[in-house]
Amino acid sequence: MANEVVDHGRRRFLTATTAVVGGIGIVSAAVPFIKSWEPSARAKAAGAPVTQSLAKIEAGQLLTVSWRSLPVFVLNRTKAQLATLPMVDSRLVDPKSDGASADQQPKYAQNEARSIKPEWLVMIGICTHLGCVPDFVPEIKPEPFDPEWKGGFYCPCHKSRYDLAGRVFQGVPAPKNLPVPPYHFIDDSTIQIGVDPKEAG
């Protein structure tokens, strides 16, 4: 017994095999653990860009689209509605969107229409006061909440008002313009919300 010869080749083989099997076991246990860190399909979908056809949205019509569980207003403004925008500048907190509301929209929407194409307004429909969803009141006529109303968005909860570019009026609880999300035009009748034009290329 004391003179038994040690088979070094077999010992190396068993040691290597044990190491390989152990390594496979560690990898097998680690993969599900690491996969659990990835966002779920539901979470990925919640943050994914949204593509929307504009083909059936008539002039003056508003469509609400859901993006990241937020209501996004897509408004096809008429020429008459666009003409009202400069008329209310003196009554707005930040008419050029370059003051307190500068962070509320991308640079390409930092203009009076607050949009890439003047007729198409794309903005998040959440009041900047307490997060209510304002009503779309497009008619250019006196309203109980504003005798000089030129159309826009009215939050009945606390009486905040926004014009047809989502710019907030002076003297209301809301402090900033309605935010403009990142978006771009895929073609003349399709937009994608959630992706800036420079990222779309």
Side-chain angles (χ1 to χ4, degrees), residues 11-179:
R11 181 175 285 176
R12 280 193 295 272
F13 171 76
L14 289 174
T15 302
T17 304
T18 304
V20 168
V21 170
I24 291 170
I26 290 170
V27 169
S28 298
V31 167
F33 178 69
I34 292 169
K35 284 261 187 208
S36 72
W37 294 347
E38 293 180 7
S40 66
R42 187 174 174 182
K44 285 178 186 174
V50 173
T51 302
Q52 177 63 49
S53 171
L54 306 175
K56 295 185 179 179
I57 306 175
E58 296 178 15
Q61 186 179 8
L62 176 79
L63 176 72
T64 303
V65 178
S66 180
W67 172 68
R68 293 187 176 180
S69 301
L70 298 171
V72 176
F73 294 161
V74 180
L75 173 61
N76 185 1
R77 293 179 285 202
T78 64
K79 286 186 175 23
Q81 288 174 329
L82 287 169
T84 67
L85 297 182
M87 295 179 191
V88 295
D89 280 2
S90 63
R91 301 177 59 206
L92 303 174
V93 171
D94 191 7
K96 302 301 178 203
S97 300
D98 56 3
S101 297
D103 63 339
Q104 295 293 96
Q105 74 278 312
K107 288 284 185 197
Y108 52 82
Q110 200 166 354
N111 51 55
E112 188 155 59
R114 297 185 75 228
S115 58
I116 296 172
K117 295 184 179 183
E119 66 275 22
W120 290 106
L121 175 65
V122 179
M123 67 182 181
I124 297 171
I126 300 284
C127 181
T128 57
H129 176 224
L130 292 177
C132 306
V133 177
D135 295 333
F136 178 46
V137 186
E139 296 80 17
I140 302 170
K141 66 182 182 71
E143 293 287 350
F145 53 83
D146 188 339
E148 298 176 51
W149 188 245
K150 303 291 183 201
F153 299 86
Y154 173 66
C155 188
C157 304
H158 301 97
K159 316 232 180 315
S160 290
R161 301 184 315 279
Y162 304 87
D163 76 343
L164 286 164
R167 300 175 300 173
V168 71
F169 280 82
Q170 297 171 6
V172 300
K176 293 183 175 185
N177 297 342
L178 293 173

